[in-house]
Amino acid sequence: MDKELLDILQGKDETTEPKKEFKEITLKFGKGCVGDEFQGKDGNSYRQIMIPPNEEVKQPWQTFVVKANQVHENQYGKGMWCKLPADGSTTVTKSVAKGVDEQGKTIWENEKTKIPNKELKAMVESYKSKEKSQGDSLLDKIEKKAHQASEQNKSIEHSQNKNRNTTR
């Protein structure tokens, strides 16, 4: 009996199961992508998150919904973030033009698709890859300007040397 008590006190209890590792993905987005809080049919509060369009694919704005307590403001107050399960999937909704009614107004229909959360992260944070691919960072611009200036100085020196040689 004493050995059993010692085992329990040392954490060697047979009834404890190893905890499952729960991997999460953090989605980061701007405050402008977060809709107002609303109450669902089940009584819980939810927030709608908008996914910006992808210009490369000509994709319209899309949205998904998460519980309101999962959406947080970052420490600087300029961005928002939420965590979703890495292995899960989320339903994404986009409005699609279905046709035109008798008054000439466009009829819209919601199209729902289930997307794995890893793909959802890439869609929400696509603005990051766009900025890197354009090469518009300040450091890149400074390096370009320095390179252009050095090329310009070399051509000026070369033309001055040429002028000196022709005047002699």
Side-chain angles (χ1 to χ4, degrees):
M1 267 256 208
D2 292 330
K3 186 174 184 197
E4 289 177 17
L5 286 173
L6 274 172
D7 287 346
I8 291 173
L9 291 173
Q10 292 176 351
K12 297 179 183 176
D13 190 11
E14 296 172 6
T15 59
T16 58
E17 296 177 14
K19 292 183 179 178
K20 290 183 179 179
E21 192 172 315
F22 186 67
K23 293 184 181 179
E24 293 181 321
I25 293 177
T26 303
L27 303 177
K28 298 176 184 175
F29 42 88
K31 278 188 170 183
C33 293
V34 179
D36 292 330
E37 194 171 316
F38 66 93
Q39 191 168 5
K41 292 178 183 176
D42 58 358
N44 292 329
S45 295
Y46 294 96
R47 281 222 156 150
Q48 184 179 32
I49 312 296
M50 294 183 282
I51 303 169
N54 186 351
E55 278 98 33
E56 296 171 4
V57 188
K58 301 286 185 197
Q59 200 172 23
W61 282 85
Q62 298 179 346
T63 60
F64 65 97
V65 175
V66 293
K67 286 191 176 183
N69 61 357
Q70 289 181 315
V71 180
H72 308 282
E73 191 172 336
N74 72 1
Q75 63 187 15
Y76 306 109
K78 295 189 177 187
M80 305 291 279
W81 61 274
C82 73
K83 288 194 175 201
L84 296 174
D87 298 331
S89 61
T90 304
T91 302
V92 175
T93 306
K94 68 178 173 181
S95 295
V96 179
K98 188 177 179 183
V100 180
D101 66 357
E102 297 161 358
Q103 286 104 16
K105 292 183 180 179
T106 307
I107 300 172
W108 294 94
E109 187 177 83
N110 287 338
E111 184 179 291
K112 294 181 179 182
T113 53
K114 270 201 167 212
I115 295 179
N117 289 340
K118 290 180 181 179
E119 285 182 35
L120 183 66
K121 179 179 175 73
M123 290 169 61
V124 170
E125 298 180 1
S126 66
Y127 67 91
K128 291 180 181 179
S129 63
K130 182 171 42 171
E131 288 172 2
K132 288 180 183 176
S133 66
Q134 290 176 349
D136 287 342
S137 72
L138 186 59
L139 186 60
D140 289 343
K141 287 181 180 180
I142 291 170
E143 287 175 358
K144 247 187 216 179
K145 287 280 187 185
H147 182 69
Q148 287 175 350
S150 67
E151 290 293 320
Q152 196 173 23
N153 287 340
K154 286 180 184 177
S155 65
I156 290 171
E157 287 175 10
H158 180 70
S159 63
Q160 286 176 349
N161 288 337
K162 206 174 194 184
N163 289 339
R164 286 186 197 154
N165 290 340
T166 56
T167 57
R168 290 184 186 177

